[in-house]
Amino acid sequence: MGLMTGQQFKDSLNDGRVIYYKGERIDNVATHPAFVNCVNTMALDFEMGHDPKYKDLAVVFDEELGEEISRYFAIPKNGEDLLKMQELIIKSTELGDGYIPFSHDIGADVINAIIITANIMGDQDYIDRINNYNKYLKKTDKAVVAAVTDVKGDRMLRPGDPGQAHPDYYVRIVEKNEQGIIVRGAKAHISGAAYANEFFVIPCRAMSESDADYAVAFAIQANAKGIKQIVRPFVQGRSANDFPNERPHRMITDSLIIFDDVFVPWERVFLCGEWKYAATMVYNFALLHRRTGCAYRIPLSEQFLGMATAIAEYNGVENAPHVKDKITEVVIYLETLKALCNAACFDYKMIAGIAVPNPVITNIAKYHFAHQYHEIVRIVQDLAGGLLVTRPSYLDYCVPELQEEIIKYCGGKAGIPTETRLRMFDLIRRMTHSELETIALHGEGSQESQRMTIYAEAKKTMRYCKNIVDVMAGIKKQD
Ligand SMILES: Cc1cc2nc3c(=O)[nH]c(=O)nc-3n(C[C@H](O)[C@H](O)[C@H](O)COP(=O)(O)OP(=O)(O)OC[C@H]3O[C@@H](n4cnc5c(N)ncnc54)[C@H](O)[C@@H]3O)c2cc1C
């Protein structure tokens, strides 16, 4: 089949999948008005593959298959490959006005995590299965997302703990037979799932022996029998109060996916009770996906610097010392993120033949982005001023007897049209009064998970540094 076009991707979604949205069963996500912007956002990846401007970045030639495939499905072999992938993530997110299309990137992070896990296990059967599945994705160019986060129930209890209110808070194997396995449970917050072709399902935590039934990983079609999605509306929308904007509106929704005794054939099962390796799989997925997450936050951070610079100028305060200070803060935020992302790729390490970004730097990058995010939002809102929430709406602006007064009294710096200033307020409202803060905090895992990884990965550095001071203090001799 080869690389899908945007239209082929959209057509592929009319497959009988079960989707509920705002109390309604959706017949075809590709054509339903609530999902059109989301589907168009996801289609960006496919369009890039056919656009001469982006093709070199989005597509690579696969020697084994003798055909062009998405760059995402090619295994990264060195730092250069990681940087190229980062460039692709950044470019597609720029086209998505801050939204990564999500059709291949997160799936690729899972593929690589499964390959690493299968190789560490030394299990040839699993190695063959994931390689075959990867080949299938390369050939069919399916949009595949990652269902990792279980609904979890009581967070302090293990999946199989009898204290949990029921045994299905984590996706689990309820039956094994000659053809495959049957699974039950639910995964929460799954981005882009409503309009993906397939999902990867992998554990979200380390497991113990008593959790063996929960140590399960597989790939499944979105329309498989027993799968139901409940999609939460994403509220970062444009509104009728805003000035009309011809630029396409981009967005991605998230789903609660329910697996009600879903059959998965063996060739799509990548972990089945090997509880010791659940941690390996989720650890490597988190590492790879945090790198992806940091890369797509670069365009978002550029938007914040742009909004801070623009509104300071439109308000006429760009030369005030405290304003320069605040804008400098946003520059530091952006440039630190960029530098950490690049450094993580340059300082890559090889695991099972796959180049993975430096774990400590990647986790610091994600932590930096999430930890400072609210501060950056605060700066932009501070520089905007109160009209951000109290200005007359575009609907009032359209009333002939009001327009002149709105232009007169809502102006800022002389020479800047009032409409320019009001449009920037619309954008800042959309970007800072939204759910993005929660996404920044929890997307790719909570901050605590990054801190835990940084600490665990930095142990060697800690020992090295302790040795330095032991020598300096005369406790030890120089090696
Ligand atoms: C917009 C959005 C998109 C997302 N997209 C995806 C996706 O595509 N795929 C996917 O798989 N996931 C996705 N996620 C899920 C994301 O990875 C999780 O939100 C994140 O891992 C936190 O899990 P949680 O939401 O269940 O919060 P919780 O785990 O309940 O965390 C809440 C708080 O409790 C703390 N906590 C939790 N457990 C413990 C414990 N045992 N001991 C001590 N403290 C604890 C945490 O540190 C945190 O402070 C998305 C999330 C968001 C918000």
Side-chain angles (χ1 to χ4, degrees):
M1 185 176 164
L3 294 169
M4 272 202 269
T5 62
Q7 191 55 49
Q8 283 169 332
F9 161 67
K10 289 174 192 175
D11 294 344
S12 73
L13 301 176
N14 190 13
D15 59 2
R17 63 188 58 206
V18 180
I19 307 275
Y20 286 85
Y21 179 76
K22 290 188 177 179
E24 185 193 344
R25 169 86 193 262
I26 305 297
D27 183 35
N28 179 0
V29 276
T31 52
H32 191 283
F35 288 93
V36 164
N37 291 329
C38 305
V39 172
N40 287 342
T41 304
M42 202 178 244
L44 279 171
D45 262 347
F46 298 97
E47 288 161 5
M48 285 176 80
H50 294 274
D51 185 334
K53 220 155 111 195
Y54 305 117
K55 192 171 172 165
D56 280 354
L57 187 59
V59 170
V60 294
F61 186 78
D62 188 284
E63 297 291 342
E64 189 193 349
L65 296 179
E67 60 184 270
E68 288 178 328
I69 60 162
S70 165
R71 179 181 294 278
Y72 286 112
F73 295 147
I75 306 283
K77 296 287 181 203
N78 49 45
E80 219 171 286
D81 288 348
L82 288 174
L83 283 167
K84 252 320 191 215
M85 184 104 77
Q86 179 168 290
E87 205 186 314
L88 173 56
I89 294 167
I90 291 172
K91 183 42 75 187
S92 64
T93 311
E94 279 170 8
L95 295 174
D97 276 356
Y99 289 100
I100 189 166
F102 257 110
S103 61
H104 299 83
D105 53 277
I106 194 167
D109 293 335
V110 183
I111 292 169
N112 293 333
I114 293 177
I115 293 176
I116 290 170
T117 309
N119 276 280
I120 290 173
M121 286 167 88
D123 188 313
Q124 195 54 47
D125 200 14
Y126 280 140
I127 294 173
D128 292 343
R129 283 185 204 173
I130 187 61
N131 285 336
N132 287 337
Y133 184 72
N134 193 19
K135 216 176 272 179
Y136 155 82
L137 288 180
K138 286 175 177 178
K139 284 180 166 176
T140 57
D141 202 27
K142 300 277 186 202
V144 56
V145 297
V148 182
T149 312
D150 290 277
V151 288
K152 296 188 279 204
D154 187 328
R155 271 70 177 143
M156 296 308 284
L157 299 180
R158 306 201 63 79
D161 192 297
Q164 291 277 20
H166 60 72
D168 301 330
Y169 274 128
Y170 290 74
V171 170
R172 68 186 175 111
I173 305 156
V174 289
E175 196 187 312
K176 292 180 201 172
N177 58 41
E178 278 188 10
Q179 282 75 42
I181 59 172
I182 309 239
V183 295
R184 186 184 305 160
K187 294 276 185 181
H189 332 270
I190 309 310
S191 303
Y195 25 88
N197 299 115
E198 310 216 348
F199 325 133
F200 271 117
V201 174
I202 67 168
C204 73
R205 56 170 295 160
M207 301 285 174
S208 63
E209 195 170 359
S210 58
D211 304 319
D213 288 343
Y214 299 87
V216 60
F218 56 90
I220 190 85
Q221 291 96 338
N223 66 348
K225 190 165 173 277
I227 292 184
K228 183 190 292 159
Q229 296 190 49
I230 306 172
V231 184
R232 241 251 321 133
F234 189 71
V235 297
Q236 195 213 17
R238 289 180 185 166
S239 97
N241 296 327
D242 292 359
F243 278 79
N245 191 335
E246 280 176 12
R247 192 162 167 91
H249 185 195
R250 301 297 181 187
M251 56 192 282
I252 291 283
T253 52
D254 311 294
S255 301
L256 174 70
I257 308 179
I258 297 163
F259 298 85
D260 184 11
D261 290 2
V262 174
F263 169 71
V264 188
W266 283 116
E267 66 267 21
R268 283 169 164 260
V269 176
F270 309 116
L271 193 72
C272 183
E274 300 86 350
W275 56 272
K276 280 184 187 161
Y277 295 96
T280 313
M281 200 175 279
V282 66
Y283 172 87
N284 283 290
F285 165 73
L287 166 60
L288 295 163
H289 189 51
R290 279 174 198 158
R291 190 292 294 250
T292 303
C294 292
Y296 69 75
R297 264 58 181 257
I298 290 174
L300 184 60
S301 306
E302 287 171 341
Q303 290 165 12
F304 278 104
L305 179 57
M307 289 186 288
T309 309
I311 204 63
E313 186 189 324
Y314 301 163
N315 285 344
V317 296
E318 72 271 32
N319 290 320
H322 81 97
V323 173
K324 286 182 177 171
D325 250 16
K326 286 168 181 162
I327 291 178
T328 307
E329 219 34 62
V330 188
V331 173
I332 293 169
Y333 177 74
L334 167 66
E335 295 300 337
T336 304
L337 181 65
K338 279 172 30 184
L340 288 168
C341 286
N342 289 339
C345 295
F346 285 126
D347 198 11
Y348 69 96
K349 62 178 190 176
M350 296 300 294
I351 313 181
I354 298 178
V356 301
N358 178 293
V360 175
I361 303 175
T362 301
N363 279 278
I364 294 175
K366 171 62 184 69
Y367 182 78
H368 160 75
F369 173 82
H371 194 61
Q372 298 296 323
Y373 187 84
H374 290 69
E375 175 59 14
I376 298 305
V377 167
R378 194 185 67 73
I379 288 175
V380 175
Q381 290 179 339
D382 173 45
L383 296 178
L387 274 192
L388 187 55
V389 290
T390 64
R391 68 196 178 284
S393 77
Y394 171 68
L395 300 176
D396 294 318
Y397 186 87
C398 290
V399 177
E401 65 268 30
L402 296 180
Q403 194 172 98
E404 210 176 299
E405 286 163 313
I406 291 175
I407 289 175
K408 179 175 176 187
Y409 291 114
C410 293
K413 187 176 181 167
I416 305 287
T418 299
E419 183 180 326
T420 299
R421 184 168 182 243
L422 293 178
R423 278 184 176 276
M424 192 49 63
F425 282 135
D426 284 350
L427 179 68
I428 296 175
R429 180 209 49 91
R430 186 150 58 84
M431 298 302 294
T432 64
H433 294 66
S434 72
E435 296 176 350
L436 285 172
E437 286 93 329
T438 309
I439 298 176
L441 276 184
H442 288 292
E444 299 94 44
S446 66
Q447 289 179 68
E448 207 43 45
S449 59
Q450 284 115 53
R451 292 183 74 97
M452 281 163 60
T453 312
I454 292 165
Y455 183 83
E457 289 285 348
K459 283 213 167 119
K460 202 169 145 203
T461 311
M462 288 183 237
R463 277 195 301 276
Y464 170 79
C465 294
K466 179 174 174 287
N467 192 50
I468 292 173
V469 293
D470 280 348
V471 171
M472 283 170 70
I475 298 166
K476 266 177 146 182
K477 289 257 179 290
Q478 184 91 47
D479 293 335

